[in-house]
Every structure is written in structure tokens, then in C-alpha cells.
Amino acid sequence: IALVFLLLCIFGLLVFWKQRQSNISGFQLHVCLSESCNYTAQRFLENMESGVQPCDDFYQFACGGFLNKTVLPSGKRTTSVVDELEDKVHEELDFILKNLSLHVEYDSLPKPYRDLVSLYSLCMDDNYTSGVSEAQKLFQEAGGWPLLDHKLPDKWTFQETEKSFQKNCLPGGSLLELSLELEYPDVALTVRKPKLMLPEDLLAKGASNPGVTRYISYMTDIAVMYGADKEE
């Protein structure tokens, strides 16, 4: 009986060892060696700083390479690996949308894809002005806008303009945000300051800040596009 038990134990160990070797071999066979996997692994290594001991400074060990080589892009306050990937994706999408219409099978693509290319082309066309005239009509229907009509300041009120925008299901909130919030059993009218395109701490630095200067220039160009007088 003891001999049989010993043989069973030896057989079990052999089976376990064989299974373990099979698992290890299988794992090795499934290591990704594709171009994209190699590229990703290389990016990880480049962003690390292997000369730093992880137990001394793990952040520097994991991110030191990225910190040492990265230059903050112009116009950005922060950047990260994710930001770099997003920029790369945007570049590739831009290339695809600009060149998709040249593809031999473009006409056979589903209509939503072709519509997307058309809309993107319109957005990138500096000479496309049809949308401007439509926006000007909306301004007039909402009561006008002082920047576009100098006869308005005496009678124009932003409250009426905001009400008109919201009544016609148009995005308001350019001067203030109004919303109704249910606070059982009452309904509260909430008034908030408008959402600005730039953080308040950056805007507070004034026109001497390059980011604020570009923002003012952008908003001025938009107003001029809709019919405002840049000199005024």
C-alpha cells in the first residue's frame, strides 16, 4: 500500500510539473511582439528613468524620462502622456478626414461617414460664410447684439436676449447662467456666472499673458466675422 501511495504521489508531481511547464510555455507563446506592442513598450521605457532606484523615488523612476525630455507646448498650461496621445489621435483623424474623400471607395462609404467628411471640410474652410448669415438672423430674432448694431445699447437688455435664446432652445449662458432646480418641495431659480473658455486665474493675469492675448484676439476675430467693427 505504501508503495502504491508513493507511486501515486510521484505520478501527481509529474503531472503537476508537466502542467506547469505547459502553462509557462503557453504564456511565452502569447507574449505580444507586434509593432504596436513594441512601440508601447518602448514608450514606457523612454518615459522611465531607470537610473533612479524605485524605493528611493518611485515617481522619478516611473516618470523621470518624461519629465526630462518633455517641453510644455505653447499655449498649454499642463501636458501629460495622455495629452500627447490625444494630440496624436487628433492629427491622425485630421489626416483621415482630409484625405478620405480622395479614396477610390469614398462614394460607397455609409452616408454618416460622408456627411462627417463634408461637415469637417466646412469647419476647416475659412471662406465658408453661410453659417455666419444664419447666426446673424438668430441674433436679430433674439433682440440683436450691441457689438453688431450700435443702435441697440439704449433699448437692449441682456436679460431679454438670454430669455429669447432659451425660449428658442438655443445655447444661452454667455452673460449669466439661469437654471431651475428642484429643491423639494420648492423650485429654486439659480443664477450663476457664465462659463468662460479660460480658467479665471489665467484671465486674471490680464492681456500681458500670452494665453489671454490669444483668447482676446480669437474673440475679436469671431465678433468681426459676425459683422462687428474691429476698430470700435
Side-chain angles (χ1 to χ4, degrees), residues 4-24:
V4 172
F5 179 75
L6 179 61
L7 290 174
L8 288 174
C9 289
I10 294 174
F11 179 75
L13 288 172
L14 289 173
V15 171
F16 173 77
W17 180 82
K18 186 68 175 177
Q19 183 65 33
R20 185 171 182 273
Q21 289 297 109
S22 176
N23 290 339
I24 293 175

Side-chain angles (χ1 to χ4, degrees), residues 196-198 203 210-220:
L196 303 174
M197 294 178 64
L198 293 181
L203 286 172
V212 176
T213 301
R214 285 191 289 270
Y215 173 70
I216 294 174
S217 176
Y218 168 73
M219 297 304 294
T220 301

Side-chain angles (χ1 to χ4, degrees), residues 57-70:
D57 189 338
F58 185 79
Y59 181 77
Q60 191 67 27
F61 166 76
C63 306
F66 179 79
L67 296 174
N68 295 334
K69 71 177 182 178
T70 301

Side-chain angles (χ1 to χ4, degrees), residues 4-205:
V4 172
F5 179 75
L6 179 61
L7 290 174
L8 288 174
C9 289
I10 294 174
F11 179 75
L13 288 172
L14 289 173
V15 171
F16 173 77
W17 180 82
K18 186 68 175 177
Q19 183 65 33
R20 185 171 182 273
Q21 289 297 109
S22 176
N23 290 339
I24 293 175
S25 300
F27 175 76
Q28 291 175 341
L29 291 175
H30 286 85
V31 173
C32 180
L33 298 176
S34 67
E35 182 179 354
S36 58
C37 287
N38 287 332
Y39 171 78
T40 302
Q42 183 64 32
R43 287 292 303 275
F44 272 111
L45 293 174
E46 290 174 353
N47 290 331
M48 296 170 64
E49 188 171 357
S50 57
V52 176
Q53 292 297 321
C55 293
D56 295 335
D57 189 338
F58 185 79
Y59 181 77
Q60 191 67 27
F61 166 76
C63 306
F66 179 79
L67 296 174
N68 295 334
K69 71 177 182 178
T70 301
V71 177
L72 189 64
S74 176
K76 285 191 175 183
R77 304 174 66 204
T78 61
T79 189
S80 67
V81 175
V82 175
D83 291 331
E84 289 186 347
L85 291 175
E86 287 182 348
D87 291 341
K88 181 66 174 177
V89 170
H90 291 161
E91 289 176 5
E92 293 183 356
L93 285 175
D94 178 71
F95 177 82
I96 292 172
L97 291 172
K98 284 181 177 178
N99 294 278
L100 189 60
S101 60
L102 305 177
H103 198 277
V104 291
E105 299 179 356
Y106 173 73
D107 293 335
S108 63
L109 290 175
K111 187 176 183 298
Y113 292 170
R114 288 182 277 118
D115 289 344
L116 177 61
V117 173
S118 298
L119 289 173
Y120 184 78
S121 299
L122 291 177
C123 290
M124 300 303 292
D125 186 359
D126 294 335
N127 298 318
Y128 180 73
T129 57
S130 296
V132 173
S133 60
E134 293 298 322
Q136 289 172 336
K137 291 179 182 178
L138 292 175
F139 282 136
Q140 291 299 322
E141 293 173 2
W145 198 258
L147 278 174
L148 309 181
D149 188 350
H150 296 294
K151 299 178 182 179
L152 287 177
D154 292 337
K155 61 179 181 179
W156 177 84
T157 63
F158 70 85
Q159 295 97 328
E160 292 300 321
T161 298
E162 289 287 346
K163 284 169 55 179
S164 178
F165 276 139
Q166 296 196 19
K167 182 179 179 181
N168 291 282
C169 299
L170 296 171
S174 56
L175 298 172
L176 55 84
E177 286 192 1
L178 299 174
S179 63
L180 293 177
E181 298 181 1
L182 178 61
E183 296 182 359
Y184 188 81
D186 301 317
V187 176
L189 174 63
T190 303
V191 181
R192 299 187 181 91
K193 58 186 176 182
K195 293 181 180 178
L196 303 174
M197 294 178 64
L198 293 181
E200 291 185 18
D201 60 334
L202 184 60
L203 286 172
K205 296 180 179 180

